[in-house]
Amino acid sequence: MFVNLTRKSLLALFLSSMVFVAIAEDAKDEKKEDEKEKETLTEVLDKKDAFKGFVDIYRDKEDGSGLVVFDESQLNKPFLYFVSTVDGAVAAGTFRGQFRGSRLIEFRRNYDRIEVVSKTPRFYFDPEKAISRAAEANISEAILLSTKIEHEEDGKIAISLGELFANEDLHKVSQTPSDDPKVEKRRFKPGKLSEDKTSISEIKNFPENTHVVVRYVYENSDPKVDGGNEVSDSRYTTLQIQHAFIKAPENDFQPRRDDPRIGYFSQQFDDLTSDQTANYRDVINRWDLQKKNPGAELSDPVQPIVWWIENTTPVEWRDTIKNATLAWNTSFEKAGISNAIEVKIQADDADWSSDDVRYNVLRWTSSPRPPFGGYGPSIAHPLTGQIIGSDIMLEYSFMKGRWIAGEMFTDGYASLNDGLQGDERMNCSLGHALNLGMMFGQYAGMADGMGKIEEEKLLRQSMAYLILHEVGHTLGLNHNMMASQLHGHDEAHDASVTQGILAGSVMDYPSVNYAPVGREQGDFYTEKPGPYDDWAILYGYSEALADPTAEEKRLSTILSRSAEPQLAFGNDADDMRAVGRHVDPRINIFDMSGEAVDYAQDRFELIKHMAGKLKEKTLVDGRSHNDLTVGVNVLFGEFARQASVVSRYIGGVYVNRAFVGQAGYTQPLTPVPEAEQQNAMDTLSAFVFAPDAIDEMAPLFAYIQRQRRGFSGWGRDESPRLHDMLLGAQKNVLDHVMHPNVLIRLTDTTLYGNTFTAEKMLANLTDSMFKADIKGDVNSYRRNLQVEYVERLIAMSGLEDKSKYDNFAQASSMYQLGRVADMVNKSRGDQATKIHKAFLKDRIERAFYKG
Ligand SMILES: [Zn+2]
């Protein structure tokens, strides 16, 4: 009653004229409540629909009100609580199948109420140590909500379904505002939760898990930003969120410790009784795969991991999906477990649901604006890391070879890694990355007249890679963005060397391995787990020894191999996709081979070659220019991605996480050798900044035209923004190589071996911006780039505004401005060039004058 009164009173405050009505209604409610209490629980439940399972739920046939009925034995026991999105809106920050979080919760009785308590499992106290007696100090458990017991009878306790779920007490659904005011301004805001409109939309009950889907309705009378096509009316946003209570397993599962040299998802604990500086007691997420014959060298598991291919899966894809899933068994065999994974196909008339936690299902979805092409969340026990169940959602549009990245590059430069930003810890945007690679492969194939067999191989290997990768996540593995370094640049294209393994791991986002001009096509994508994957599975799943000391020694021996090149590892937390972030250029997405810069050179040549063929291959009688337009975007997107890959080697530092004394140990930080940094700089100079960088694309410009549709003009006029397009990619490179972090790193690293100094780097940049055409006409792309560069030097110098750069960079940039002023001093070239040079000269003078 208290809760009701409070809510109603709040409403009354806003609607002062309605106060009396509200109070009157409360009185009515109270009367009804009294009547209800006369009925026994059995009588009440008899009138309701029963959903029996792990936790029984009953719902009234008429008003939809419901009761959650616990058995007394279920109180004070940990439940796994797992939240995911059934249907969302990408603009509102959540999408179908998204994992939203998990906790360990307990339902506890406090007199006539039930409290839902979340116990933070973050901290560990060694029970052997006296200090553990203070374990409760300063660590509070959260009481998520407290609700009145509605009925009680024979060890059954009933609470209100609505009180438990139709609010944000258990789980906060609304998006947390961004710290970045610019992001916040652009963000669609669904508004406040309307508790009146929020309701329970579905109850699904199984022996070991109970799901309640809540339809949350948010209201914003005046949204400033539109919610996109999938929100019918931006004032009212509906999000379907699933709350799942899952039975905590009761078994002898042995947690396995995490280690920085290997990439598992983990549950983190701080050992507050430890005297180590790294007082971590994290455990990895893994399945309970115990050998049927303990001690045997190779044994089947007591319980294999069973994957079901959903009956919605296109029949022609089922074998590829099955084989890719089973391919993981070779890794498990090397770890002593045979037939670890089984794959079954869901019968067309199956009467079980993929929501039943006992079934792990490869599912399909098709969303209007797919955020990801496939991802595999798994449910893990927050204390032990034991994986209890998992589903993989595959995005159908990924396989349709349709352009799914948001903006067209030609409309102005879109985000380089469109759709690849955001919190990646539990989500995976590989599908998106693969879609970009597949599109590139298809257009390259079109340009080259690729045969049907090759085309099928591209599709098959893309799908196999997606499945291998997503299943890898469900086994507990996180990304390994360093894995594509496995082969040399030349070997990567040689199928007799790669034999289906292009990378150390399937957990990377590699570039599609399309053959350079004039070479035979090798593997497009990896189709088997790589050496890193075998090693990671060995670490995570090999049989433990009973003696803890011997077990620790066994694990340490496995880990001590980490410096072997084929076991290289680095995940998203360290990758260099974003400008200015992180240091090791080998940990990156869209790169390929251990000589990624040389690899990119071949790719730039291939792009030129493809551009030369695009018109002939895409302009078909009776059709619009849409294919050509998408083709230019595909080529240009790849151009920009490879430029980004190359740029990261400048100012880079190779990181080694080997522990002291292990085989292959080196100092952890080694600056990228000067020759490699210079190679990267020369590559950018030749292919990205050069006056002829996109000459081969120029004949296509007059043909870039999207197929008209109704009145949607994509918000812009029809002339492609060609200068913006190239400058956008160039700016992305400059954003990195001229980033304050990179500049200071170039100087910092001189203290431990770097010889490609900040001074050299900027001198190189000035040369590549100006030297090639200083004596003749400077074309419009170059003029655009040169102005951009000079503006950045001025910003770096601090001549006009306070500089964000270190002292060394400021001095160097001023020196480079002087060089540029000298170079543009001679008035040569055509009229536009003369005007441009006079402008630059004047611009630099004004900056110095002001300074
Ligand atoms: Zn992934």
Side-chain angles (χ1 to χ4, degrees):
M1 207 55 232
F2 171 72
V3 177
N4 260 336
L5 189 68
T6 315
R7 286 197 186 128
K8 289 256 164 69
S9 307
L10 270 175
L11 185 71
L13 271 178
F14 288 103
L15 308 166
S16 54
S17 64
M18 304 280 285
V19 166
F20 296 105
V21 182
I23 291 171
E25 257 183 29
D26 277 339
K28 234 195 295 172
D29 278 5
E30 214 150 350
K31 216 174 128 202
K32 241 198 257 164
E33 200 91 352
D34 288 345
E35 280 165 18
K36 241 190 259 169
E37 268 161 27
K38 287 172 203 153
E39 289 179 314
T40 66
L41 179 59
T42 318
E43 282 164 354
V44 172
L45 296 184
D46 273 351
K47 287 187 235 156
K48 296 185 189 289
D49 286 327
F51 301 83
K52 291 200 170 194
F54 177 48
V55 178
D56 295 340
I57 296 178
Y58 295 82
R59 190 157 60 166
D60 194 273
K61 289 178 176 70
E62 307 212 327
D63 66 8
S65 69
L67 289 172
V68 180
V69 182
F70 291 93
D71 193 275
E72 228 168 17
S73 66
Q74 290 179 308
L75 298 184
N76 309 316
K77 265 204 186 138
F79 283 23
L80 300 178
Y81 170 56
F82 189 87
V83 191
S84 58
T85 303
V86 175
D87 259 313
V90 177
T94 192
F95 46 85
R96 180 180 291 201
Q98 184 200 27
F99 164 82
R100 298 188 54 89
S102 66
R103 305 171 178 257
L104 212 55
I105 57 168
E106 268 179 34
F107 289 83
R108 284 195 205 149
R109 182 177 196 138
N110 187 6
Y111 298 97
D112 64 342
R113 304 182 76 82
I114 292 290
E115 293 175 347
V116 187
V117 181
S118 164
K119 292 198 77 160
T120 165
R122 174 86 202 191
F123 303 101
Y124 171 84
F125 293 84
D126 184 344
E128 305 280 298
K129 293 187 181 162
I131 186 76
S132 68
R133 290 189 201 105
E136 298 300 319
N138 301 323
I139 298 165
S140 80
E141 48 185 32
I143 297 173
L144 302 175
L145 70 89
S146 168
T147 180
K148 206 175 138 244
I149 295 172
E150 304 269 340
H151 298 277
E152 189 172 2
E153 192 178 299
D154 299 335
K156 299 277 181 197
I157 293 152
I159 59 173
S160 154
L161 180 66
E163 291 287 324
L164 190 55
F165 292 111
N167 50 57
E168 292 194 346
D169 290 349
L170 277 186
H171 178 79
K172 187 169 174 287
V173 180
S174 353
Q175 244 181 321
T176 312
S178 168
D179 292 336
D180 184 345
K182 269 195 250 158
V183 172
E184 193 50 25
K185 205 176 157 207
R186 285 200 309 263
R187 192 170 69 83
F188 165 60
K189 294 174 191 71
K192 290 223 155 49
L193 180 71
S194 159
E195 291 192 10
D196 288 346
K197 289 185 179 174
T198 294
S199 60
I200 311 294
S201 58
E202 205 179 353
I203 298 161
K204 291 178 276 187
N205 230 335
F206 309 100
E208 293 176 11
N209 58 312
T210 297
H211 292 196
V212 174
V213 180
V214 180
R215 194 189 67 185
Y216 290 91
V217 180
Y218 293 84
E219 292 183 344
N220 180 353
S221 58
D222 185 20
K224 301 282 184 255
V225 180
D226 190 58
N229 287 340
E230 61 271 38
V231 178
S232 312
D233 183 329
S234 292
R235 293 174 300 165
Y236 309 101
T237 306
T238 303
L239 303 175
Q240 303 253 20
I241 304 291
Q242 175 170 281
H243 302 259
F245 296 138
I246 299 155
K247 191 176 167 201
E250 287 159 12
N251 58 14
D252 55 351
F253 178 80
Q254 291 296 313
R256 187 154 295 178
R257 73 170 176 88
D258 187 34
D259 191 273
R261 290 163 287 185
I262 216 156
Y264 272 89
F265 291 114
S266 61
Q267 307 296 326
Q268 298 189 342
F269 305 97
D270 298 338
D271 183 348
L272 295 188
T273 49
S274 163
D275 52 8
Q276 303 287 309
T277 51
N279 63 335
Y280 318 143
R281 269 188 77 89
D282 306 348
V283 296
I284 63 171
N285 287 2
R286 63 188 192 115
W287 293 83
D288 184 24
L289 270 187
Q290 294 178 28
K291 281 183 178 172
K292 209 180 261 175
N293 302 310
E297 201 166 304
L298 185 67
S299 164
D300 281 2
V302 178
Q303 282 282 350
I305 305 165
V306 181
W307 275 103
W308 292 84
I309 293 177
E310 199 176 40
N311 54 22
T312 52
T313 307
V315 177
E316 64 273 25
W317 282 115
R318 293 183 182 182
D319 278 348
T320 303
I321 292 171
K322 182 176 177 182
N323 293 338
T325 309
L326 290 175
W328 275 103
N329 275 341
T330 59
S331 298
F332 281 100
E333 274 161 29
K334 291 171 193 162
I337 302 168
S338 43
N339 304 306
I341 299 178
E342 281 178 21
V343 176
K344 296 177 180 177
I345 293 175
Q346 183 188 28
D348 288 341
D349 58 352
D351 59 0
W352 54 267
S353 153
S354 55
D355 292 315
D356 189 330
V357 75
R358 296 170 303 167
Y359 295 91
N360 309 305
V361 188
L362 286 145
R363 306 178 63 182
W364 289 82
T365 173
S366 183
S367 34
R369 250 208 292 176
F372 301 111
Y375 46 95
S378 46
I379 302 169
H381 193 297
L383 286 182
T384 64
Q386 183 188 345
I387 298 172
I388 290 141
S390 195
D391 282 342
I392 290 174
M393 299 288 276
L394 298 162
E395 178 62 56
Y396 184 63
S397 54
F398 156 65
M399 293 316 296
K400 288 198 295 198
R402 159 162 86 80
W403 182 256
I404 58 173
E407 295 292 315
M408 289 284 197
F409 289 103
T410 49
D411 288 346
Y413 186 71
S415 157
L416 178 69
N417 304 315
D418 208 352
L420 295 179
Q421 309 291 351
D423 183 355
E424 291 274 335
R425 278 171 307 145
M426 289 299 286
N427 297 319
C428 177
S429 46
L430 173 72
H432 227 128
L434 280 178
N435 176 262
L436 297 172
M438 242 174 46
M439 293 290 287
F440 182 82
Q442 283 172 353
Y443 269 91
M446 192 192 287
D448 271 352
M450 179 160 75
K452 192 133 188 73
I453 294 172
E454 289 291 281
E455 207 175 305
E456 272 168 15
K457 184 177 172 185
L458 171 63
L459 275 173
R460 178 173 52 77
Q461 290 198 324
S462 303
M463 178 57 96
Y465 190 80
L466 179 68
I467 301 294
L468 276 164
H469 179 106
E470 301 304 341
V471 171
H473 280 317
T474 68
L475 297 173
L477 299 178
N478 58 39
H479 287 143
N480 181 355
M481 300 310 195
M482 199 165 177
S484 55
Q485 295 273 320
L486 183 68
H487 297 293
H489 149 235
D490 203 45
E491 291 78 41
H493 295 295
D494 186 343
S496 73
V497 174
T498 58
Q499 299 195 23
I501 298 180
L502 273 168
S505 170
V506 299
M507 304 311 293
D508 204 338
Y509 291 2
S511 163
V512 59
N513 187 45
Y514 200 91
V517 183
R519 270 202 80 156
E520 202 181 320
Q521 178 60 46
D523 286 311
F524 291 104
Y525 285 105
T526 275
E527 54 183 4
K528 298 171 197 167
Y532 166 88
D533 300 319
D534 290 346
W535 176 63
I537 294 298
L538 178 73
Y539 178 76
Y541 289 92
S542 52
E543 192 178 18
L545 297 173
D547 172 48
T549 315
E551 171 63 1
E552 179 48 39
K553 199 169 164 228
R554 187 185 75 83
L555 294 176
S556 294
T557 306
I558 296 172
L559 293 165
S560 69
R561 291 178 51 208
S562 75
E564 292 175 22
Q566 75 275 19
L567 307 183
F569 161 71
N571 66 17
D572 326 48
D574 297 322
D575 81 41
M576 290 194 80
R577 81 184 70 173
V579 291
R581 269 183 66 204
H582 304 307
V583 299
D584 190 336
R586 299 170 302 178
I587 309 173
N588 207 351
I589 60 174
F590 300 127
D591 58 337
M592 178 51 86
S593 93
E595 295 150 300
V597 175
D598 295 342
Y599 190 96
Q601 289 171 4
D602 275 356
R603 184 56 54 89
F604 287 127
E605 293 289 2
L606 177 62
I607 291 167
K608 285 171 187 269
H609 169 77
M610 286 165 66
K613 301 250 180 174
L614 204 58
K615 218 161 92 184
E616 166 198 341
K617 300 286 181 185
T618 57
L619 298 187
V620 177
D621 282 353
R623 296 188 59 174
S624 76
H625 298 84
N626 215 57
D627 286 351
L628 180 139
T629 306
V630 170
V632 172
N633 278 281
V634 167
L635 292 191
F636 198 74
E638 181 66 11
F639 174 90
R641 285 190 292 276
Q642 292 304 320
S644 161
V645 164
V646 171
S647 71
R648 304 315 194 242
Y649 282 80
I650 294 162
V653 176
Y654 292 146
V655 176
N656 189 340
R657 295 198 192 280
F659 278 12
V660 182
Q662 78 175 58
Y665 171 79
T666 64
Q667 62 188 40
L669 304 178
T670 303
V672 173
E674 180 166 359
E676 289 179 38
Q677 297 196 59
Q678 187 68 57
N679 186 28
M681 185 57 89
D682 294 345
T683 304
L684 293 174
S685 194
F687 293 99
V688 182
F689 300 137
D692 63 351
I694 57 168
D695 272 7
E696 288 76 3
M697 286 194 202
L700 304 170
F701 294 159
Y703 296 84
I704 296 174
Q705 182 189 51
R706 291 182 77 172
Q707 188 169 317
R708 195 189 68 77
R709 185 183 197 184
F711 291 96
S712 0
W714 291 279
R716 294 191 181 87
D717 63 63
E718 262 201 289
S719 71
R721 297 287 187 268
L722 302 167
H723 288 94
D724 285 357
M725 169 174 113
L726 179 59
L727 188 65
Q730 292 166 334
K731 273 157 89 169
N732 196 281
V733 168
L734 294 179
D735 282 347
H736 184 75
V737 299
M738 295 179 84
H739 195 282
N741 294 355
V742 174
L743 265 301
I744 189 62
R745 194 187 310 135
L746 281 162
T747 303
D748 280 337
T749 49
T750 58
L751 300 180
Y752 54 94
N754 178 34
T755 52
F756 193 69
T757 60
E759 292 75 20
K760 269 189 205 174
M761 194 280 284
L762 285 176
N764 264 270
L765 264 184
T766 303
D767 288 350
S768 67
M769 300 292 154
F770 288 91
K771 278 216 161 150
D773 46 9
I774 195 70
K775 289 184 178 154
D777 298 345
V778 180
N779 70 32
S780 55
Y781 302 120
R782 288 276 284 185
R783 297 200 301 272
N784 211 17
L785 174 62
Q786 290 173 358
V787 172
E788 177 71 27
Y789 179 61
V790 165
E791 291 296 346
R792 282 174 189 247
L793 284 179
I794 291 171
M796 193 186 288
S797 71
L799 284 169
E800 291 185 347
D801 297 305
K802 195 170 160 24
S803 172
K804 281 186 277 184
Y805 291 81
D806 61 87
N807 298 335
F808 316 103
Q810 287 187 44
S812 262
S813 59
M814 235 180 269
Y815 180 73
Q816 294 307 322
L817 283 170
R819 283 188 67 209
V820 173
D822 280 350
M823 280 194 264
V824 297
N825 201 21
K826 286 195 189 99
S827 183
R828 283 185 182 140
D830 59 16
Q831 187 198 22
T833 304
K834 282 180 182 152
I835 291 173
H836 167 69
K837 285 184 177 171
F839 169 73
L840 285 185
K841 191 168 160 258
D842 182 57
R843 180 72 188 88
I844 295 168
E845 270 169 16
R846 271 191 292 131
F848 272 103
Y849 177 73
K850 206 175 172 190

